[in-house]
Amino acid sequence: MTDPWATSAVAAHVAAGVDLHVELAGPGLRSGLTHALREAARTGRLAPGTRLPSSRSLAADLGVARNTVADAYAELVAEGWLTARQGSGTSVAQRAAVPRRAAPAAAPRRRTPGKPAYSLLPGAPDLASFPRAEWLKAARRALTEAPNEAFGLGDARGRPELRTAIAGYLARSRGVRADPERIVVCSGFVHGLTLIAKVLRGRRVREMAVESYGLDIHWDLLAEAGLRTVPLGFDALGSRTGELMGLRGAGAVLLTAAHQFPMGVPLHPERRSAAVDWARTTGGLVLEDDYDGEFRYDRQPVGALQDLDPERVVYLGTAGKALAPGLRIGWMVLPEALVEPVTRAKGAFEWTVSSLDQLTLAEFVESGAYDRHVRGMRLRYRRRRDQLVAALAERAPDVRVTGIAAGLHAVLELPPGTEDSVVRAAAWQGLAVYGLGRHTHPSASAAARRRDALVVGYGTPPDSAWAGALDALCRALP
Amino acid sequence: MTDPWATSAVAAHVAAGVDLHVELAGPGLRSGLTHALREAARTGRLAPGTRLPSSRSLAADLGVARNTVADAYAELVAEGWLTARQGSGTSVAQRAAVPRRAAPAAAPRRRTPGKPAYSLLPGAPDLASFPRAEWLKAARRALTEAPNEAFGLGDARGRPELRTAIAGYLARSRGVRADPERIVVCSGFVHGLTLIAKVLRGRRVREMAVESYGLDIHWDLLAEAGLRTVPLGFDALGSRTGELMGLRGAGAVLLTAAHQFPMGVPLHPERRSAAVDWARTTGGLVLEDDYDGEFRYDRQPVGALQDLDPERVVYLGTAGKALAPGLRIGWMVLPEALVEPVTRAKGAFEWTVSSLDQLTLAEFVESGAYDRHVRGMRLRYRRRRDQLVAALAERAPDVRVTGIAAGLHAVLELPPGTEDSVVRAAAWQGLAVYGLGRHTHPSASAAARRRDALVVGYGTPPDSAWAGALDALCRALP
């Protein structure tokens, strides 16, 4: 086979620090090289500050005389594209910057609050508390002990070490009946829900029951997967799972049984049974989103619903609340009949979650660091919750706080019709916070939609911002 | 709100090492606790070997007398469910194992080769060469310097630090015109291709041109996304991109331009231009799968096709060949018009790739460790390639080796009709290797399908197995 490149171009793998790709077309090596480098600097392909290889090593790689390269460098230094400094070689000059797209013309400004200084948005733990040193220690042990095959593509269900560690953890701390063979690792709740939705759609399911309150991103994701969401009613005992029997089309129900998001009540035992009975009778599936099951403060044990019937309940959990959402690791404990279809929906191999991260988390759990971290954080969040309750009792005694037995957020009930104005007032206090309306299903009952409340994620701020956030919140309340 | 749990159950957060969840229903605390623990051990919820909390701390958590717990423990030790040892507390006994599903009855056995001792399957680098210490060093620096927000959910395109590092790397080493704003991080080529397929299907594209030779998992993935794949013809200059103009329905073409997989030829410059011209004329898209662009041995510079028209070519690359497939990090450099739709297809946030891994890889690239590792591996793979060519010249002089200027695999042309028997002979030599048939598109021309060859992934074995793999290969050849 002829090599179409041999006559038209010369390449450079530069051995000196960076790998530089330059193509020189036709005769006139020096001017060709000068041109190629100038273009690379001009267009930003070579970023300002990039160190170029020595003329000796570039010349060797190009198979040209060293002087050819040295002359080209000198010319470009003279032109200002490159800079040469004694002892630190030749670099791309700072002025040779890429022309960036012009910023869009500023829109005419209305008077609006600035970027919030504080956030009490729910859904995130205190990111400043990530146990960096402990995690790194686990990573070191995991990387040192990892078998070579762990660096390749493995079982689509995830690493066996992690599935075993998670099975043990869930069994002892959440009352989940977990067999490592039935666990599938995923990149978080969104990934898990997407996979299950795909399997359900493949079985011609078109509808899923959800709670009146929840996360719009989950409803949107289900809609995009072809599943209509139908909200169940809600009262002081939690979601009215008795309504499931009346929903003809629903093939599954999504529940936050241990701690309703965002309302904070545990699903009443009779409602739990009703959900599982419905699933048994109709062949439906219960999806249990155990998003913050680790954080309970007042000794109410709320074990996983999955324990009632592991063949009808999918348990979904993640490391997002106990460690960090940025880790992108979650897990599903599946009924036996779903292991194969969900794994197949995930892919032929573990194409999603880093095997090194999986080994690190397995080590983190097995070493006891996970339990220790959760216990430590539970104390801290509990203290914050107590401070929140105390501050409200003092400064906003008319506001009723609910959903505080567990989790990283509370619900503040507001006088009718005041939710939007309180959210706006908070913004003017430099505080980002959501109203309950944002977490209300658009098809929920009028009564559910009429409720005015704030959802306060007290786990979110770092310690340094907690007092300020709390103060801003109290100022914004009526 | 009443607490439905208060009267029916008592919980235990155990403070001594593990987090134990036990529910005690009704009166008879001691027998209830005994029953609950026995059930937990019997069903495997508490794995054999699990250490239980001390009776003192469990009693404190349950709010019961210490003797109640001590008596329950003693009873279960007597029954053999638990073991108590001086100084190491109480543990779940080994005999209390979960009854595992019975192994399926052994199928009647035919005489078949055993598990292969060697693998020359293409697609993986030498996993034993993963730079564990260097990676850990980068992880330490990344974790130490990461801003707190990095532990949360970020920009769906991926971390800016990684996009900047990758943009610089691709520009200097692969000739890609890369702007960090146009890079989207993904979990690998499969994820990237899935996202693009989703966007194309949303634009009513139903067909994608592919090469006659490639990976069935990619064709299957496209089919599942609703895109029919149509193979282009193939000859010594690479894929016949001139045929694109005749394909009415194709909205995109997938090419391995720098190093055809698995045939190993670079796409001829005229064929490159033809692909880009087609895309410009028809509004089509070129997907450039640069799966092993870093590994070139004989000074042929084959820069990225993307450079010809960044508005019509999507460049896809990963860390899978240069580092490890298990890392699950890849990247796309997108035309401006595709950044928003592809990002939206990926999700509202970075829901896939760990932000800590992204920061680690950014650090690994910026520190020069990536370039150093690639250079080191290039030398090693080149040596292996030379050893492969020399061994074949000596022991199988009739076999022609092609595709050896680059990459981690070679193609061994075989006498007509012998491919299957050589693959079988290799299996009997304890060697896993694929025939070309496995990489041939089912709709490829009869001539393409008639070709007999082996695809030899010489990058795959660890050093310790390389000589054995090579010997097994030579024995299997005609």
Side-chain angles (χ1 to χ4, degrees), chain A residues 1 3 11 13 19-21 45 60-61 101 130 132 143 146 148 151 171-173 187 265 296 299-301 325-326 328 336 351 354-355 357 371 378, chain B residues 1 3 11 13 19-21 45 60-61 101 130 132 143 146 148 151 171-173 187 236 265 296 299-301 325-326 328 336 351 355 357 371 378:
Chain A
M1 190 174 308
D3 176 4
H13 286 168
D19 215 5
L20 177 67
H21 179 86
R45 256 190 56 203
D61 264 315
R101 263 170 292 157
F130 185 82
R132 301 185 188 212
L143 253 167
N148 286 331
F151 297 93
R172 68 175 193 266
S173 86
S187 71
V265 292
R296 290 155 292 143
R299 288 217 177 166
Q300 291 94 332
R328 307 315 306 142
E336 170 131 34
W351 274 330
S354 157
S355 51
D357 291 348
D371 290 79
R378 197 187 284 140
Chain B
M1 191 173 305
D3 174 0
H13 286 168
D19 216 5
L20 178 67
H21 178 86
R45 257 189 56 204
D61 266 315
R101 264 170 292 158
F130 184 82
R132 302 184 187 213
L143 253 167
N148 287 332
F151 296 93
R172 68 176 194 265
S173 87
S187 72
V265 292
R296 290 156 290 142
R299 289 216 176 164
Q300 293 93 331
R328 308 315 307 144
E336 171 131 32
W351 275 331
S355 51
D357 291 347
D371 290 80
R378 198 187 283 140

Coordinates of all heavy atoms in Angstrom, one line a residue, chain A residues 1 3 11 13 19-21 45 60-61 101 130 132 143 146 148 151 171-173 187 265 296 299-301 325-326 328 336 351 354-355 357 371 378, chain B residues 1 3 11 13 19-21 45 60-61 101 130 132 143 146 148 151 171-173 187 236 265 296 299-301 325-326 328 336 351 355 357 371 378:
Chain A
M1 N 0.8 -1.2 0.0 CA 0.0 0.0 0.0 C 0.9 1.3 0.0 O 1.8 1.3 0.7 CB -0.8 0.0 1.3 CG -1.9 1.0 1.3 SD -2.9 0.7 2.8 CE -3.3 -1.1 2.6
D3 N 1.9 5.0 0.8 CA 1.6 5.9 2.0 C 1.4 7.3 1.4 O 2.3 8.0 1.0 CB 2.9 5.9 2.9 CG 2.6 6.9 4.0 OD1 1.5 7.5 4.1 OD2 3.6 7.1 4.8
A11 N 6.1 14.8 9.9 CA 5.5 14.9 11.3 C 6.5 15.1 12.4 O 7.7 14.9 12.2 CB 4.8 13.6 11.6
H13 N 6.7 14.1 16.4 CA 6.3 13.7 17.7 C 7.4 14.3 18.6 O 8.6 13.9 18.5 CB 6.5 12.2 18.0 CG 5.5 11.4 17.4 ND1 5.6 10.1 17.3 CD2 4.3 11.8 16.8 CE1 4.5 9.6 16.7 NE2 3.7 10.6 16.4
D19 N 3.8 16.7 23.2 CA 3.6 16.0 21.9 C 3.1 17.0 20.9 O 1.9 17.5 21.1 CB 2.6 14.9 22.2 CG 2.9 13.6 21.4 OD1 3.9 13.6 20.8 OD2 2.1 12.7 21.5
L20 N 3.9 17.4 20.0 CA 3.5 18.5 19.1 C 3.2 17.9 17.7 O 4.1 17.2 17.1 CB 4.6 19.5 19.1 CG 4.4 20.7 18.1 CD1 3.3 21.6 18.6 CD2 5.7 21.5 18.1
H21 N 2.1 18.2 17.1 CA 1.8 17.7 15.8 C 1.9 18.9 14.8 O 1.1 19.9 14.9 CB 0.4 17.1 15.8 CG 0.0 16.6 14.5 ND1 0.3 15.4 14.0 CD2 -0.7 17.2 13.4 CE1 -0.1 15.2 12.8 NE2 -0.7 16.3 12.4
R45 N -4.3 26.9 18.5 CA -4.1 25.5 18.6 C -3.0 25.2 19.6 O -2.9 24.2 20.3 CB -3.7 24.9 17.2 CG -4.7 24.1 16.5 CD -4.2 23.4 15.4 NE -3.1 22.5 15.7 CZ -2.1 22.1 14.9 NH1 -2.1 22.5 13.6 NH2 -1.1 21.4 15.3
A60 N 15.3 16.7 15.4 CA 15.5 15.3 15.3 C 14.2 14.6 14.9 O 14.1 13.7 14.0 CB 16.0 14.7 16.6
D61 N 13.1 15.0 15.4 CA 11.8 14.4 15.1 C 11.3 14.7 13.7 O 10.7 13.8 13.1 CB 10.7 14.9 16.1 CG 10.6 13.9 17.3 OD1 10.5 12.7 17.0 OD2 10.5 14.3 18.4
R101 N -14.9 34.2 21.0 CA -16.2 34.8 20.6 C -16.5 36.0 21.4 O -16.3 36.1 22.6 CB -17.3 33.8 20.8 CG -17.6 33.0 19.5 CD -18.5 31.9 19.9 NE -17.9 30.9 20.7 CZ -18.5 30.0 21.5 NH1 -19.8 30.1 21.6 NH2 -17.8 29.2 22.2
F130 N -16.7 17.2 52.5 CA -16.2 15.9 51.9 C -14.9 15.5 52.5 O -14.0 16.2 52.7 CB -16.0 16.2 50.4 CG -15.6 14.9 49.7 CD1 -16.6 14.0 49.2 CD2 -14.3 14.6 49.4 CE1 -16.3 12.8 48.6 CE2 -14.0 13.4 48.8 CZ -15.0 12.5 48.3
R132 N -11.9 14.5 52.3 CA -10.8 14.4 51.2 C -9.7 13.4 51.6 O -9.3 12.6 50.8 CB -10.2 15.8 50.9 CG -11.3 16.8 50.5 CD -10.6 18.1 50.1 NE -11.6 19.1 49.8 CZ -11.5 20.1 48.9 NH1 -10.4 20.2 48.2 NH2 -12.5 21.0 48.7
L143 N -6.2 1.5 44.6 CA -5.3 1.5 43.5 C -4.1 0.6 43.6 O -3.7 0.0 42.7 CB -4.8 3.0 43.2 CG -5.4 3.7 42.0 CD1 -5.0 5.1 42.1 CD2 -4.9 3.1 40.7
A146 N -5.7 -3.1 43.4 CA -6.5 -3.4 42.3 C -5.8 -4.5 41.4 O -4.7 -4.3 41.1 CB -6.9 -2.2 41.5
N148 N -5.0 -6.1 37.8 CA -4.9 -5.5 36.6 C -6.2 -5.4 35.8 O -6.5 -4.4 35.1 CB -3.8 -6.1 35.7 CG -2.4 -5.8 36.2 OD1 -2.2 -4.8 36.8 ND2 -1.5 -6.8 36.0
F151 N -8.6 -2.4 35.5 CA -8.4 -1.2 34.6 C -9.1 -1.4 33.2 O -9.1 -0.5 32.4 CB -6.9 -0.9 34.4 CG -6.3 -0.6 35.7 CD1 -5.7 -1.5 36.5 CD2 -6.3 0.7 36.2 CE1 -5.1 -1.2 37.8 CE2 -5.7 1.1 37.4 CZ -5.1 0.1 38.2
A171 N -27.8 -3.9 54.1 CA -28.5 -4.8 54.9 C -28.4 -4.4 56.4 O -29.4 -4.3 57.1 CB -27.8 -6.2 54.8
R172 N -27.2 -3.9 56.8 CA -27.1 -3.6 58.2 C -27.6 -2.2 58.6 O -28.1 -2.0 59.7 CB -25.7 -3.8 58.7 CG -24.7 -2.8 58.2 CD -23.3 -3.0 58.8 NE -22.5 -1.9 58.5 CZ -21.6 -1.8 57.5 NH1 -21.5 -2.8 56.7 NH2 -21.0 -0.7 57.2
S173 N -27.6 -1.3 57.6 CA -28.0 0.1 58.0 C -29.3 0.5 57.5 O -29.9 1.4 58.0 CB -26.9 1.1 57.6 OG -27.1 1.5 56.3
S187 N -24.6 5.6 37.7 CA -23.9 6.8 38.0 C -24.8 7.7 38.9 O -24.4 8.9 39.1 CB -23.5 7.5 36.7 OG -24.6 8.0 36.0
V265 N -42.4 13.5 55.6 CA -43.0 12.4 56.4 C -42.6 11.0 56.0 O -42.3 10.9 54.8 CB -44.6 12.5 56.3 CG1 -45.1 13.7 57.0 CG2 -45.0 12.4 54.9
R296 N -31.2 10.2 59.9 CA -32.3 10.2 60.8 C -31.9 10.6 62.2 O -30.8 10.2 62.6 CB -32.9 8.8 60.9 CG -33.6 8.3 59.6 CD -33.6 6.8 59.5 NE -32.3 6.3 59.3 CZ -31.8 5.2 59.9 NH1 -32.6 4.5 60.7 NH2 -30.6 4.8 59.6
R299 N -34.5 8.8 66.3 CA -34.7 7.4 66.7 C -35.9 6.7 66.0 O -36.2 5.6 66.3 CB -34.9 7.2 68.2 CG -33.6 7.4 68.9 CD -33.5 6.4 70.1 NE -32.2 6.5 70.7 CZ -32.0 6.0 71.9 NH1 -33.0 5.4 72.5 NH2 -30.8 6.1 72.4
Q300 N -36.6 7.4 65.1 CA -37.6 6.7 64.4 C -36.9 5.8 63.4 O -36.2 6.3 62.5 CB -38.5 7.6 63.6 CG -39.5 8.4 64.4 CD -38.9 9.8 64.7 OE1 -37.6 9.9 64.7 NE2 -39.7 10.8 64.8
P301 N -37.1 4.5 63.5 CA -36.4 3.7 62.6 C -37.3 3.6 61.3 O -38.5 3.2 61.5 CB -36.4 2.3 63.3 CG -37.6 2.3 64.1 CD -37.9 3.8 64.5
P325 N -22.4 14.5 45.6 CA -23.1 14.2 44.3 C -22.1 14.1 43.1 O -22.3 13.4 42.2 CB -24.0 15.5 44.0 CG -24.1 16.2 45.4 CD -22.9 15.8 46.1
G326 N -21.0 14.9 43.2 CA -20.0 14.9 42.2 C -19.3 13.5 42.0 O -18.6 13.3 41.0
R328 N -20.7 10.7 41.5 CA -21.5 10.0 40.4 C -21.5 8.5 40.7 O -21.1 7.7 39.7 CB -21.1 10.3 39.0 CG -21.0 11.8 38.7 CD -22.2 12.6 39.1 NE -23.5 12.1 38.7 CZ -24.6 12.1 39.4 NH1 -24.6 12.6 40.7 NH2 -25.7 11.7 39.0
E336 N -35.1 -10.3 41.3 CA -34.3 -11.2 40.5 C -34.7 -11.1 39.0 O -33.8 -11.1 38.1 CB -34.6 -12.6 40.9 CG -34.0 -13.7 40.0 CD -33.2 -14.7 40.7 OE1 -33.5 -15.0 41.9 OE2 -32.2 -15.2 40.1
W351 N -19.8 0.5 31.1 CA -19.4 1.6 30.3 C -19.6 2.9 31.0 O -19.4 4.0 30.3 CB -20.3 1.6 29.0 CG -19.8 0.7 27.9 CD1 -18.4 0.4 27.7 CD2 -20.5 0.0 26.9 NE1 -18.4 -0.4 26.6 CE2 -19.6 -0.7 26.1 CE3 -21.9 0.0 26.6 CZ2 -20.0 -1.4 25.0 CZ3 -22.3 -0.8 25.5 CH2 -21.3 -1.5 24.7
S354 N -16.5 4.6 36.6 CA -15.1 4.2 36.7 C -14.9 3.1 37.7 O -15.3 3.1 38.8 CB -14.3 5.4 37.2 OG -13.1 5.0 37.8
S355 N -14.1 2.1 37.2 CA -13.9 0.9 38.1 C -13.0 1.3 39.3 O -13.1 0.8 40.4 CB -13.3 -0.2 37.3 OG -12.1 0.2 36.6
D357 N -13.1 4.2 40.8 CA -13.9 4.8 41.8 C -14.7 3.8 42.6 O -15.0 3.9 43.8 CB -14.9 5.8 41.1 CG -14.2 7.0 40.6 OD1 -13.1 7.2 40.9 OD2 -14.9 7.7 39.8
D371 N -19.3 4.6 57.3 CA -20.2 4.7 58.6 C -19.7 5.8 59.5 O -20.5 6.6 60.0 CB -20.1 3.4 59.3 CG -20.8 2.2 58.6 OD1 -20.2 1.7 57.7 OD2 -21.9 1.9 59.0
R378 N -24.2 13.2 60.5 CA -25.5 13.1 61.1 C -25.6 14.0 62.4 O -26.5 14.8 62.5 CB -25.8 11.7 61.6 CG -27.3 11.4 61.8 CD -27.5 10.0 62.4 NE -27.4 9.0 61.4 CZ -26.8 7.8 61.6 NH1 -26.2 7.5 62.7 NH2 -26.7 6.9 60.6
Chain B
M1 N -48.3 16.3 63.3 CA -48.4 15.0 62.6 C -48.0 13.9 63.5 O -47.0 14.0 64.2 CB -47.4 15.1 61.4 CG -47.6 13.9 60.4 SD -46.5 14.3 59.0 CE -47.0 15.9 58.6
D3 N -46.6 10.3 64.7 CA -45.5 9.5 64.2 C -45.9 8.0 64.2 O -46.1 7.4 65.3 CB -44.3 9.7 65.1 CG -43.1 8.7 64.7 OD1 -43.3 8.0 63.8 OD2 -42.1 8.8 65.4
A11 N -35.7 1.7 67.2 CA -34.6 1.6 66.3 C -33.3 1.6 66.9 O -33.1 1.9 68.1 CB -34.7 2.8 65.4
H13 N -29.5 2.9 65.9 CA -28.3 3.4 65.2 C -27.2 3.0 66.0 O -27.0 3.6 67.1 CB -28.2 4.9 65.1 CG -29.2 5.5 64.2 ND1 -29.4 6.9 64.2 CD2 -29.9 5.0 63.3 CE1 -30.3 7.1 63.3 NE2 -30.6 6.0 62.7
D19 N -23.5 0.5 61.5 CA -24.8 1.1 61.6 C -25.7 0.0 61.5 O -25.9 -0.6 60.4 CB -24.9 2.1 60.5 CG -25.7 3.3 60.9 OD1 -26.0 3.4 62.1 OD2 -26.0 4.2 60.1
L20 N -26.4 -0.4 62.6 CA -27.3 -1.6 62.5 C -28.7 -1.2 62.6 O -29.1 -0.4 63.5 CB -26.9 -2.5 63.7 CG -27.7 -3.8 63.9 CD1 -27.4 -4.7 62.7 CD2 -27.3 -4.4 65.2
H21 N -29.5 -1.7 61.7 CA -30.9 -1.3 61.8 C -31.7 -2.5 62.2 O -31.7 -3.5 61.6 CB -31.4 -0.9 60.4 CG -32.8 -0.5 60.3 ND1 -33.3 0.7 60.6 CD2 -33.9 -1.3 60.0 CE1 -34.6 0.7 60.5 NE2 -35.0 -0.5 60.2
R45 N -29.0 -10.8 55.9 CA -29.0 -9.4 56.0 C -27.8 -8.9 56.8 O -27.2 -7.9 56.5 CB -30.3 -8.8 56.7 CG -31.3 -8.3 55.8 CD -32.4 -7.6 56.6 NE -31.8 -6.6 57.5 CZ -32.4 -6.1 58.6 NH1 -33.5 -6.7 59.0 NH2 -31.8 -5.2 59.4
A60 N -28.0 1.1 74.7 CA -28.2 2.6 74.7 C -29.0 3.1 73.5 O -29.9 3.9 73.7 CB -26.8 3.3 74.8
D61 N -28.7 2.5 72.4 CA -29.4 3.0 71.2 C -30.8 2.6 71.2 O -31.7 3.3 70.7 CB -28.6 2.5 69.9 CG -27.7 3.5 69.4 OD1 -28.0 4.7 69.4 OD2 -26.5 3.1 69.1
R101 N -28.4 -19.1 45.7 CA -29.1 -19.8 44.6 C -28.3 -21.0 44.2 O -27.0 -20.9 44.1 CB -29.3 -18.9 43.4 CG -30.7 -18.2 43.3 CD -30.7 -17.2 42.3 NE -29.8 -16.1 42.6 CZ -29.3 -15.3 41.7 NH1 -29.5 -15.4 40.4 NH2 -28.6 -14.3 42.1
F130 N -0.8 0.5 33.6 CA -1.5 1.7 34.1 C -0.6 2.4 35.1 O -0.1 1.7 36.0 CB -2.8 1.3 34.8 CG -3.6 2.6 35.2 CD1 -4.4 3.3 34.3 CD2 -3.5 3.0 36.5 CE1 -5.0 4.4 34.7 CE2 -4.2 4.2 36.9 CZ -5.0 4.9 36.0
R132 N -0.1 3.6 38.0 CA -0.9 3.8 39.3 C -0.3 4.9 40.2 O -1.1 5.7 40.7 CB -0.8 2.5 40.1 CG -1.4 1.3 39.3 CD -1.4 0.0 40.2 NE -1.8 -1.1 39.4 CZ -2.5 -2.2 39.9 NH1 -2.9 -2.2 41.1 NH2 -2.8 -3.2 39.1
L143 N -7.5 16.5 44.4 CA -8.4 16.5 45.6 C -8.0 17.6 46.6 O -8.9 18.2 47.2 CB -8.3 15.1 46.3 CG -9.5 14.2 46.1 CD1 -9.2 12.8 46.6 CD2 -10.7 14.7 46.9
A146 N -9.1 21.0 44.8 CA -10.4 21.1 44.3 C -11.2 22.1 45.1 O -11.2 22.1 46.3 CB -11.1 19.8 44.3
N148 N -14.6 23.6 46.7 CA -15.7 22.8 47.3 C -16.8 22.5 46.3 O -17.4 21.4 46.2 CB -16.3 23.5 48.5 CG -15.4 23.4 49.7 OD1 -14.7 22.5 49.8 ND2 -15.5 24.4 50.6
F151 N -17.4 19.2 44.3 CA -18.0 18.0 44.9 C -19.5 17.9 44.6 O -20.2 17.0 44.9 CB -17.7 17.9 46.4 CG -16.3 17.7 46.7 CD1 -15.4 18.8 46.9 CD2 -15.7 16.5 46.6 CE1 -14.1 18.7 47.2 CE2 -14.3 16.3 46.8 CZ -13.5 17.4 47.1
A171 N -5.0 20.0 20.6 CA -4.5 20.9 19.6 C -3.0 20.6 19.3 O -2.6 20.5 18.2 CB -4.6 22.4 20.2
R172 N -2.2 20.4 20.3 CA -0.8 20.2 20.1 C -0.5 18.8 19.6 O 0.5 18.6 18.9 CB 0.0 20.6 21.3 CG -0.1 19.7 22.5 CD 0.8 20.1 23.6 NE 0.9 19.0 24.6 CZ 0.2 19.0 25.7 NH1 -0.7 20.0 26.0 NH2 0.2 18.0 26.5
S173 N -1.2 17.8 20.0 CA -0.8 16.4 19.7 C -1.6 15.8 18.6 O -1.2 14.9 17.9 CB -0.8 15.5 20.9 OG -2.0 14.9 21.1
S187 N -18.6 9.5 29.2 CA -18.0 8.4 29.9 C -17.2 7.4 28.9 O -16.8 6.4 29.3 CB -19.0 7.6 30.7 OG -19.9 6.9 29.8
A236 N -7.6 -0.1 -0.7 CA -6.3 0.2 -0.1 C -6.1 1.7 0.4 O -5.3 2.0 1.2 CB -5.2 -0.1 -1.1
V265 N -5.3 1.2 7.8 CA -4.9 2.2 6.9 C -5.3 3.6 7.3 O -6.4 3.7 8.0 CB -5.4 2.0 5.5 CG1 -4.7 0.7 4.9 CG2 -6.9 1.9 5.4
R296 N 1.4 6.2 17.0 CA 1.9 6.2 15.6 C 3.4 5.9 15.8 O 4.1 6.5 16.6 CB 1.7 7.5 14.9 CG 0.2 7.7 14.6 CD -0.1 9.2 14.4 NE 0.1 9.9 15.7 CZ 0.6 11.1 15.9 NH1 1.0 11.7 14.8 NH2 0.6 11.6 17.1
R299 N 6.5 7.8 11.9 CA 6.6 9.1 11.5 C 5.6 9.6 10.4 O 5.6 10.7 9.9 CB 8.0 9.4 10.9 CG 9.0 9.5 12.0 CD 10.0 10.5 11.6 NE 11.0 10.6 12.7 CZ 12.2 11.2 12.6 NH1 12.5 11.8 11.4 NH2 13.0 11.3 13.6
Q300 N 4.6 8.7 10.1 CA 3.5 9.3 9.3 C 2.7 10.1 10.2 O 2.1 9.6 11.1 CB 2.6 8.2 8.7 CG 3.3 7.3 7.6 CD 3.8 6.1 8.3 OE1 4.2 6.1 9.5 NE2 3.9 5.0 7.5
P301 N 2.6 11.4 9.8 CA 1.7 12.2 10.7 C 0.3 12.1 10.1 O 0.0 12.4 9.0 CB 2.2 13.6 10.4 CG 2.8 13.6 9.0 CD 3.1 12.2 8.7
P325 N -9.4 1.7 29.9 CA -10.8 1.7 29.6 C -11.6 1.9 30.8 O -12.7 2.5 30.9 CB -11.1 0.4 28.9 CG -9.8 -0.2 28.4 CD -8.8 0.4 29.4
G326 N -11.1 1.3 31.9 CA -11.9 1.3 33.2 C -12.1 2.7 33.8 O -12.9 2.9 34.7
R328 N -13.3 5.3 32.3 CA -14.6 5.8 31.7 C -14.6 7.3 31.6 O -15.4 8.0 32.1 CB -15.8 5.4 32.6 CG -15.9 3.9 32.9 CD -15.7 3.0 31.7 NE -16.5 3.3 30.6 CZ -16.1 3.2 29.3 NH1 -14.9 2.8 29.0 NH2 -16.9 3.5 28.3
E336 N -20.0 24.2 16.7 CA -20.7 25.1 17.6 C -22.2 24.8 17.6 O -22.8 24.8 18.7 CB -20.5 26.5 17.0 CG -21.4 27.5 17.7 CD -20.6 28.8 18.2 OE1 -19.6 29.1 17.5 OE2 -20.9 29.3 19.3
W351 N -24.2 14.5 35.1 CA -24.8 13.4 35.8 C -24.0 12.1 35.6 O -24.4 11.0 36.1 CB -26.2 13.2 35.4 CG -27.2 14.0 36.1 CD1 -27.1 14.5 37.4 CD2 -28.5 14.5 35.6 NE1 -28.2 15.2 37.7 CE2 -29.1 15.2 36.6 CE3 -29.2 14.3 34.4 CZ2 -30.4 15.8 36.5 CZ3 -30.4 14.9 34.3 CH2 -31.0 15.6 35.3
S355 N -16.7 14.3 39.0 CA -15.9 15.5 38.9 C -14.5 15.3 39.4 O -13.5 15.9 38.9 CB -16.6 16.6 39.6 OG -17.0 16.3 40.9
D357 N -12.6 12.6 39.2 CA -11.9 12.0 38.1 C -11.5 13.0 37.0 O -10.4 13.0 36.5 CB -12.6 10.8 37.5 CG -12.8 9.7 38.4 OD1 -12.1 9.6 39.4 OD2 -13.7 8.8 38.1
D371 N 1.4 13.0 28.5 CA 2.4 12.9 27.4 C 3.5 11.9 27.7 O 3.9 11.1 26.9 CB 3.0 14.3 27.2 CG 2.0 15.3 26.6 OD1 1.2 15.8 27.3 OD2 2.0 15.5 25.3
R378 N 4.2 4.2 23.8 CA 4.5 4.1 22.4 C 5.7 3.3 22.1 O 5.8 2.5 21.2 CB 4.6 5.5 21.8 CG 4.4 5.6 20.3 CD 4.7 7.0 19.8 NE 3.7 8.0 20.1 CZ 3.8 9.2 20.5 NH1 5.1 9.7 20.7 NH2 2.8 10.0 20.8

